[in-house]
Amino acid sequence: MKYGLMSYAYTTNLGNEIQSIAARRFLPEIDYYIDHEKLNLFNSPDKVKMIMNGWYLDCLKSWPPSKSIDPLLISMHFNTSFNETKDIISRKESIEFFESYGPVGCRDYATLDLLKQLDIDAYYSGCLTLTLENKQKKESDYKYIVVNSTKSNEIIEFLKTKTNMDIYDLNQESIWSFDRKYLDKMPTSYKLTSFYNIEEKFFIGENILDLYENATCVITDRLHCAFPCLALKTPVLFIDTERFAPERLKGIKELVLKASLDEYKNDFDIFNVEKPPKNPENYKKIRKSLIKKTKEFTGHIRDSYSSNYSNEYTFNNQLYLLTKTALQSRDYMKGVIRLSKRYESKISKLQKEKKENNEKLKEYESLIASKDKIINQQKKHIEEMEKSSSWKFTKPLRDLKSGLKK
């Protein structure tokens, strides 16, 4: 049996890699990295088992997946922000895919409702990142807080008035780069690819999880920060910043301690970082079910999310990534400038064409206006003629001519 792991060559949110790290725990080995944006193009002589948790239909062309994939449909979210999503899912080949490999485990109730509307067999499964295992927790007196939010600055400024603990501002977005060699191969919705390769992003994802796991507490508005913290038993507060559509969080926010930023600032005891409250435990039933279903699919489970890198490998890779950031950022900026100039050239050309078209349009409008003026003058002249005494005097003669023609 061969096994595949979902990879993300074209996206920059490391929450995607964290989802795959959760799936990796259930794989005895990884024979293939299967690109999330090219699921339909994957080809193998043998069926490849893959846990298909995550977000789908950012790239409409990639659905349904290749017949080489034997999937476990669990913890899935379909992007309902695109109008085409429902059309893609309801196509014959997509329905056949669901019928062959269902039922579909949905990460949230919005996805479940969508599939139910299409009579697709589905159930609420929750998110696979709830199955992460905290075997790596280090015994240390060092206390620190992690903030991962779109409103990090405001949160950190508030926390500084309440605690002297170190606070780390973490962003799960990896650096974007304009890697031109991929442009012709990319799906139309993606023109950028990650600054780091697949293995590097998984390595960074593991280090992020390690940071979450050993934190005193975490404050976030990221789903794939909040859920790992639940699984890793790190106290976490989910700040509801309304960055998600409300329906996307149905069945998700119920699992975590949550508050709006204003509510938290008005009542620090909601989540006192000096003595953070324990996480709610209603996720545990979902976690247990996820582990059971996923383990039955692969017949395997590891003790930890870690890939068991050696200390030497970890050190060398950290050193390399730091060096890479320093050296390649220059090339990255060159790429940004190069692409910007190319777009500036295109914009300039389009603006020139627009100007020429506007000038032609003005000429046409002027001609039309001239013709309208002539027509109006002629109408006025006719009206004046019809009112004249000579026109009235000659009317019998015109009527006679008209009768002779008939």
Side-chain angles (χ1 to χ4, degrees), residues 39 65 328 347 354 357 395:
L39 287 172
Q328 294 191 347
I347 290 169
K354 182 182 177 182
N357 289 334
K395 185 177 186 300

Side-chain angles (χ1 to χ4, degrees), residues 183-209:
L183 287 177
D184 295 334
K185 302 177 185 177
M186 282 188 197
T188 54
S189 59
Y190 288 91
K191 299 301 180 190
L192 304 173
T193 186
S194 174
F195 187 60
Y196 299 105
N197 65 35
I198 291 168
E199 291 185 351
E200 289 167 352
K201 288 203 288 184
F202 275 117
F203 177 75
I204 297 170
E206 279 195 41
N207 279 272
I208 288 175
L209 289 174

Side-chain angles (χ1 to χ4, degrees), residues 298-314:
T298 63
H300 182 81
I301 187 170
R302 298 170 62 178
D303 290 340
S304 169
Y305 64 80
S306 174
S307 58
N308 295 324
Y309 290 118
S310 68
N311 290 333
E312 181 181 358
Y313 182 87
T314 301

Side-chain angles (χ1 to χ4, degrees), residues 104-109 112 122-127 130 227 250-252 254-255 286:
V104 183
C106 302
R107 190 178 78 187
D108 53 89
Y109 282 105
L112 178 61
Y123 65 98
Y124 172 69
S125 69
C127 184
L130 291 171
F227 283 172
K250 189 179 176 184
I252 289 177
E254 291 80 359
L255 302 178
I286 298 170

Side-chain angles (χ1 to χ4, degrees), residues 14 20 31 65 129 138 170 172 180 238-239 263 294 313-314:
L14 289 166
S20 287
D31 299 293
T129 55
K138 300 177 180 67
L170 188 145
Q172 284 181 196
R180 297 181 65 182
F238 186 84
I239 297 292
E263 288 171 337
T294 313
Y313 182 87
T314 301

